Amino acid sequence: MKKSAFTLSIAAAVLALSACSDNGSDSEVLVTSDAGDVTKEELYEEMKTSVGDQAIQILMIEKVLGANYEVSDEEVEAELESNKEEMGENFEQFLAQNNHTEESYKKVIRLNLLQEKALTEDVEVTDEEIEEQYERQGTELNARHILVADEETANEVKTKLDDGGDFAELAEEYSTDPGSAANGGSLDWFGTGAMVPEFEDAAYSLEVDEISEPVQSQHGFHIIQVTEKREVEDQEPLEDQREALRSEIAMANADQSTLLPKVAALMEEANIDIKDEELEGALDEILNTEPAPEEGAPTEEETEETPAE
């Protein structure tokens, strides 16, 4: 599932707050009870206190991105169906845990897609990259690995393997992965998206029985061996997946740090005027975002460390 830059719980609160500003009197009674009523104004004030700044931020991000990029209802529905298929019977539980209905979740999807379009508008994806990704996702691997905490240990294990050491025995002796160590490091069959990117890239670059150099990921250092490869059954034709693959590759190659500076620039152009004094500073955090440095340009820390001539 594609991940939004904003959490679902915050988005849910924002949607509730924005509903309070719909047409209707501020004194409109939303809840009645013998202990007293709750008006739209009371709800607005309470939610403004708890999530007001975040609400303004997310609502304005949605508006400025929506004014500059287009996301169709068809795209939202396609992403929703993809999420449903991925989560299966857990989808309804997912909505409930995040305080969403299907309709409110569509708004989160739309915001997510708007962010993706802003992030990827300048990212070039070649036909060769698309074809390589299509071939990769049409292949499943059976592999095993040895996971260790540090590079020194990884190099030690790799040397022993190069000297003829038994992979399974070394996995049982060294590997810190409790799920595979006792089984000789076996990970069984897996396809694209199942492993962290560094592991996947390394595994898919190996020939059968080839052993990788140490590969670092968030989990530690892996030594990987692919033992078998097989084709995925019933893979859809490339042309039916080309645009989805283009989007997927573009997002993988996008620089996430450029999103907020881009949003800040769009907000400056939008001439935003916050009328509620208590929310006047809600957008300061975004508007004061420093532009992302150009590729190859020195960082602020590097500039400060450079001695004056």
Side-chain angles (χ1 to χ4, degrees), residues 138-304:
T139 304
E140 291 180 323
L141 306 179
N142 194 349
R144 54 186 180 176
H145 79 145
I146 301 171
L147 175 64
V148 296
D150 58 84
E151 189 172 12
E152 181 180 355
T153 305
N155 288 329
E156 177 186 339
V157 173
K158 182 61 165 63
T159 298
K160 290 187 176 184
L161 289 167
D162 290 343
D163 290 341
D166 183 88
F167 197 104
E169 292 178 1
L170 289 170
E172 292 180 15
E173 179 181 354
Y174 283 93
S175 186
T176 60
D177 178 5
S180 67
N183 196 27
S186 176
L187 297 167
D188 210 344
W189 290 97
F190 62 87
T192 56
M195 304 296 180
V196 292
E198 301 89 347
F199 188 103
E200 179 179 308
D201 289 343
Y204 273 92
S205 70
L206 296 172
E207 299 296 332
V208 171
D209 294 331
E210 182 182 359
I211 298 175
S212 74
E213 296 296 324
V215 176
Q216 186 176 10
S217 80
Q218 66 196 62
H219 303 296
F221 289 83
H222 310 259
I223 297 172
I224 309 163
Q225 183 182 42
V226 172
T227 56
E228 297 177 89
K229 295 184 180 184
R230 69 185 181 192
E231 291 186 4
V232 174
E233 296 181 2
D234 301 324
Q235 186 184 22
E236 294 182 11
L238 172 59
E239 290 310 310
D240 291 348
Q241 300 187 59
R242 184 174 292 276
E243 290 310 309
L245 288 171
R246 186 183 304 279
S247 174
E248 178 184 323
I249 296 167
M251 273 301 293
N253 294 338
D255 182 355
Q256 301 283 333
S257 69
T258 64
L259 179 60
L260 282 182
K262 184 172 290 189
V263 168
L266 294 175
M267 285 186 176
E268 291 283 4
E269 296 172 4
N271 298 315
I272 299 168
D273 181 15
I274 299 176
K275 304 296 186 182
D276 190 319
E277 292 183 359
E278 294 179 5
L279 294 172
E280 280 183 344
L283 299 178
D284 288 354
E285 182 179 355
I286 295 175
L287 293 174
N288 294 330
T289 301
E290 293 290 333
E294 295 182 9
E295 188 173 350
T299 63
E300 182 178 344
E301 291 79 5
E302 290 171 338
T303 303
E304 291 175 352

